[in-house]
Amino acid sequence: MDYEVNVVSVLPLIMIVFLGMVELGFAYDRVHGLTAISREGANVAARGTSLAETLDIALLNGQSLGVASSGGVIASRIVVREGVAVVQEQVATEGFEDQSRLAESDNAADLVTRAGYRDGSTLYSVEVFLVYRPITPVGNFLENLLPDVLYERAVF
C-alpha cells in the first residue's frame, strides 16, 4: 500500500519532466529546420539566384514550420571593402517587422567583418525567424529558457 502512494506522489514530477523533454525536443526540431532553411537559402543566393527568388525559396522550404505566417526571412548581399563588410542589398518578407541581426542595408555587418573575409568578397546571408509557440503546458513555464523568436542565419 505504501508503494502505491509513493508512485502516485511521484507521477506529477515524472509528467513535468516528460512534457519538458517533449517541449525542448520540439523547440530543437524547429531550430534544426530553420538552420536547414537558412543554409539552403544562402547557398542558392551564392549561386546567382536573385535575393527575391532566394526569399521565395526559403519561404517555400519553411512551409512546414509556418515561417510565412509566424516568422520571416531576410536575404542580404554583403560586400567586403577595405576590411569592412557592408550590406549592399537586403530583401525581407512582406509584413515582417523584425530587423536583420547582421545589419540594415548600407550599414556595416560587424559580425561578418570579424570573420575576416578578403577584400572584394561578395557574401550572401539568409536570416530566418520563427515565433515560438509552446505545444505543452510546461512550455509556458520554460519562458525564460526558450526565446520568443527562434533565429538562424547562414552566410555563404
Side-chain angles (χ1 to χ4, degrees):
M1 195 76 157
D2 287 336
Y3 177 73
E4 290 176 20
V5 171
N6 288 336
V7 169
V8 170
S9 63
V10 175
L11 188 59
L13 180 63
I14 292 171
M15 288 302 295
I16 289 172
V17 170
F18 175 73
L19 291 174
M21 289 173 29
V22 168
E23 192 70 50
L24 291 175
F26 181 75
Y28 178 78
D29 177 63
R30 295 295 178 241
V31 169
H32 184 70
L34 295 180
T35 301
I37 294 165
S38 65
R39 285 182 181 172
E40 180 66 23
N43 189 0
V44 166
R47 294 172 184 257
T49 305
S50 73
L51 292 183
E53 289 176 304
T54 299
L55 204 67
D56 292 340
I57 290 168
L59 288 172
L60 185 64
N61 286 336
Q63 275 183 327
S64 64
L65 298 177
V67 171
S69 61
S70 297
V73 178
I74 299 174
S76 306
R77 181 171 51 88
I78 304 164
V79 176
V80 179
R81 290 195 182 114
E82 298 177 14
V84 178
V86 177
V87 176
Q88 294 292 311
E89 181 183 2
Q90 198 167 64
V91 179
T93 52
E94 287 186 35
F96 180 62
E97 297 181 13
D98 212 338
Q99 294 181 352
S100 171
R101 294 190 184 172
L102 283 176
E104 295 299 310
S105 192
D106 296 326
N107 289 315
D110 293 334
L111 185 66
V112 178
T113 298
R114 287 187 294 234
Y117 290 100
R118 290 182 298 144
D119 280 352
S121 297
T122 300
L123 308 164
Y124 295 88
S125 169
V126 172
E127 299 172 271
V128 185
F129 301 79
L130 181 67
V131 175
Y132 183 73
R133 293 187 178 92
I135 60 168
T136 68
V138 174
N140 296 324
F141 295 108
L142 296 175
E143 286 181 40
N144 295 331
L145 185 63
L146 298 171
D148 294 338
V149 177
L150 302 176
Y151 170 80
E152 282 297 319
R153 95 178 141 257
V155 177
F156 275 70

